[in-house]
Amino acid sequence: MHLPPRFGFLIGLFALSVLLAGCGGGKPVAPGEGTATLNGTPVTSGFVGFTPIATSEEKLPGKPATGAIGSDGHFVLSTYEQGDGAVIGRHRVAVTPQGEEDAAALRGVELPENELEVKEGNNEFKLELTR
């Protein structure tokens, strides 16, 4: 059986569109950055993690975002690409130490507001840890 060239082109185009749809970046993200402090003093290293919280309509809430904390307490969130932000929606937030020294410094520390929302547009977060 011989198919017209146009038909083969359409099948190829359809296959390519299905393949590309499966390789998308996932859920939409919004830029997010901020500062982490401990009793008003900048946390100087470690990582911030934003883990999406599933809504009642979804089974998979999206990919988590992370950000390295700089020496001034500043972090920038990344999900799919460096600095792209976090998935839009509610997140559980955690600050984790980078090494043993950080672990000792952050032992017994709490993040009072450990659920935050990432909204469309730019997001600025102030993570105020307390002992």
Side-chain angles (χ1 to χ4, degrees), residues 48 102 119:
V48 174
D102 285 344
K119 299 178 181 178

Side-chain angles (χ1 to χ4, degrees):
M1 180 165 119
H2 178 68
L3 297 174
R6 176 185 256 166
F7 188 71
F9 173 76
L10 291 174
I11 289 175
L13 187 60
F14 175 74
L16 181 61
S17 67
V18 169
L19 179 65
L20 291 176
C23 295
K27 296 189 175 212
V29 297
E33 63 181 293
T35 55
T37 60
L38 173 58
N39 296 327
T41 303
V43 174
T44 58
S45 64
F47 297 92
V48 174
F50 276 52
T51 303
I53 300 171
T55 64
S56 58
E57 299 88 40
E58 60 189 359
K59 293 180 183 177
L60 301 172
K63 185 177 176 185
T66 59
I69 301 171
S71 60
D72 60 353
H74 185 257
F75 63 88
V76 177
L77 296 172
S78 302
T79 300
Y80 304 112
E81 297 176 4
Q82 185 67 32
D84 64 349
V87 170
I88 295 170
R90 300 256 338 136
H91 293 258
R92 282 193 182 79
V93 180
V95 176
T96 56
Q98 184 171 352
E100 289 182 29
E101 190 175 315
D102 285 344
L106 295 177
R107 189 168 293 124
V109 171
E110 294 182 12
L111 182 60
E113 191 174 354
N114 66 352
E115 285 191 13
L116 296 171
E117 185 167 0
V118 174
K119 299 178 181 178
E120 288 186 35
N122 293 324
N123 293 270
E124 181 74 30
F125 301 102
K126 294 190 185 303
L127 306 181
E128 299 176 3
L129 300 154
T130 58
R131 193 170 304 281

